[in-house]
Amino acid sequence: MRGLICLILLFLIVLSGCRQTIPKPESYNAEASEKDKVVQSNPKTTIKHVIQGSDLFVECMVPSISFSGMNKNVERGKIKVYVDGALQGEYYTAAFVMKGLSKGVHHIKIEVVKLNNKSHGLSKEFYVTI
């Protein structure tokens, strides 16, 4: 009887030691401050951003503009991104990631334009600290 109890205790100890340890998510020490200059023709238009490490995640929700061309009922457009006054890239999707920003404070300007680079009147400016 003692042997059976010892065997059960040993089995429970082995089982309790085999559970997986879930690692804590990595956290980044990043700050962001905003100086919004969003000019909107539609109140449902939003331009959001998130900083994770040295990456900038941007999401633009503009109901009256199609970036991919899938919606034929609305006008086409693209997104121009400026970092510290210099054009960093043009994007044809509503959400995108800019990877590898250098350490320091950066002035970001996001502008929604027509395919011929004429303004839609939608832009957002903000500062990020990496």
Side-chain angles (χ1 to χ4, degrees), residues 37-51:
K37 287 185 183 177
V38 178
V39 181
Q40 298 179 351
S41 59
N42 185 335
K44 294 182 181 179
T45 299
T46 58
I47 300 174
K48 297 179 184 178
H49 70 280
V50 175
I51 301 291

Side-chain angles (χ1 to χ4, degrees), residues 15 49 88 92 109 126 128-129:
L15 280 181
H49 70 280
Q88 193 69 27
Y92 295 87
K109 180 180 179 184
F126 53 93
V128 297
T129 303

Side-chain angles (χ1 to χ4, degrees), residues 74-130:
V74 295
E75 190 172 359
R76 293 280 315 269
K78 62 183 176 180
I79 300 168
K80 292 178 115 178
V81 180
Y82 298 88
V83 177
D84 299 326
L87 180 64
Q88 193 69 27
E90 294 182 357
Y91 297 91
Y92 295 87
T93 58
F96 56 90
V97 179
M98 292 184 60
K99 294 187 175 217
L101 289 174
S102 61
K103 289 188 176 187
V105 178
H106 299 286
H107 177 254
I108 308 293
K109 180 180 179 184
I110 298 173
E111 185 176 19
V112 180
V113 298
K114 298 177 183 180
L115 293 179
N116 62 2
N117 291 323
K118 292 191 178 186
S119 178
H120 272 295
L122 301 169
S123 67
K124 181 176 183 177
E125 295 183 34
F126 53 93
Y127 289 91
V128 297
T129 303
I130 305 295

